[in-house]
Amino acid sequence: MQAISPHTFHIPVMGLGYTVDTPVKVARFGINSVVSIIQDQLLEQMRKYYLEQRRESYEPIPGSDPDHRWKRVREYLDLLKKMVDEQLNRLRMEPFEEGREIMKYFRMLPSGHELRERFMSLLDLTGNKRKTEEDALREFITPGSIDVNIMTKIDSPAFDREGKVLPYEYSLAAAALKGFGMSTLRSSVVLSAGMNPRLYSFITGFDDFFPDKNGKINKRIILKVSDFRSADIQGRFLAKKGIWVSEFRVESGLNCGGHAFPTNGLLLGPILEEFLAGRERLQSELFRLCNESLKTLGKPSLAEDETIRLSVQGGIGTSAEDNLLREYYGADSTGWGSPFLLVPEATNVDRGTIADLNAAKPEDYFISHASPLGVPFHNFRKSSGQKNLKERIQAGRPGSPCYLRFLSFNTEYTDKPICVSSRQYLHEKSREIQSGTGSETEKQNMMREIEEKECLCEGLSVTALLCNNIPVPHNLEAVTICPGPNLAYFSGTYTLEEMVDHIYGRKAIPLSPLRPHFFEKEFSLYKNYMEQSEPRDRKGFTENLAAGVEYYNELKKRLSHSGLKGLNALTFNAAAYSETEIKLRN
């Protein structure tokens, strides 16, 4: 088994730049976090920045090198590991004195954790007894994992100087995976946005994803999934290749940040109930399939104690909700994303954006069509990226200059793929719309839809540069931020310790009294989504929502005497829901 963080939460990937160096900020305290590794230019900029801070020589990896993508990823990840290892060694050597990070490490551990209890008792000891206990505690200090994220949909091909398509290993996702595979990290890659068979097959080219002779796996797979069926299908696909899925990371389809992948009305509670019922069976089946495949491949078997972890994220905002997920549904870890955007110690958010977030109202958070991927995307009305978008439209210059080309998939007007948020694409598309048939109103609606696209490659990266005073290429300083709607109910900036204490229920951060239970918020998001769009299976969608509410009402009755407080704020009732149900079914 891999080393397990002492904490019961993790910080998920956020954008491209918000968590790009979060491990340097939190891993020494035992907190797991996730770094996006698709934007290799940003990783190279951050590598240069940190090497200069350390007064070490920096040798650039030029874009002219055909292997520049995976090499940049590898070098940056190796640097992160080196820095975290050094931080941890320094922390272990510190005296147990107030103001020292070693004190902060143990103080932030979960309430009731054995090491935290021993630390609290240590404070009353003196002399040799204290020194002996201090030395013992040092041995238990464990770093958080430096995990990485690859969004499997971002897998556009690479081209040589003559415009010819390069082999698959040079594509965006494959190059990122190779960089991780070639790095010295012993951690996990979080694969999100659905199944990518070519990428999944590419994993088998790296020995670190297979068990060694002792059954140890150095590089592990975490699959971000929206439901049990997806976990089953993807888990089997990989197991038949001898690849073990170490964790299923269940994320709410809509009550999340970043790209949203809505289900057909299936709500998080019923989805987790299915995992609760089928998790043991699924683990047993995948273990069998994986070992059979490993035997066929002539590779060592999995260690007997291998298990599949379950983590959950999407809209969690109170310790009671967190406890419900862990104590009832058996989640091994919970993902707290958007609230950490208000923790400068943990993430990169520029001052202007933090001020805008603190002044925001719930209606400032919305699901947009801004992503060039054509996937619903959580957006923030007050961002400088949104302001810049409107200014370009008003100036008659919609679209963005496209320098990075990470999301270039469209070939409607060109042989070589371009991005649908680019100025080039919008120019061609607008000419087509204006010269086509249809009413003026229809044309305006079509123009509004295409003009809504934002340049995510630059917008989701730039905040890391702004926060660290790194020169911004091409002066593109407009920030795109994609928090989940849960952030609307937080206001202020917090220290790392304050946010951790909030998660563990030691000292709650005051939240807006308007904040609904996160299960109820997800339901309202799905209801609004259905009213504003047209699901393929509207009947099934409404039936799933109705079944979800019935499930929550039954769950609340079932757990009323259990002592769990995570459902106390859930206010669904049959009378209130009946009116909504009638509207949905009509």
Side-chain angles (χ1 to χ4, degrees), residues 542-578:
T542 58
E543 287 176 349
N544 285 334
L545 285 183
V549 172
E550 291 170 8
Y551 164 82
Y552 287 135
N553 283 326
E554 178 58 34
L555 181 67
K556 194 168 182 180
K557 293 176 185 176
R558 201 189 323 157
L559 298 182
S560 59
H561 303 296
S562 69
L564 274 177
K565 299 179 180 180
L567 288 172
N568 283 6
L570 191 59
T571 57
F572 281 133
N573 62 73
Y577 179 68
S578 59

Side-chain angles (χ1 to χ4, degrees), residues 405 407-411 414 416-420 422 424-425:
R405 306 181 65 85
L407 300 180
S408 296
F409 302 106
N410 188 278
T411 54
T414 57
K416 192 173 180 179
I418 60 175
C419 179
V420 296
S422 68
Q424 180 183 2
Y425 176 83

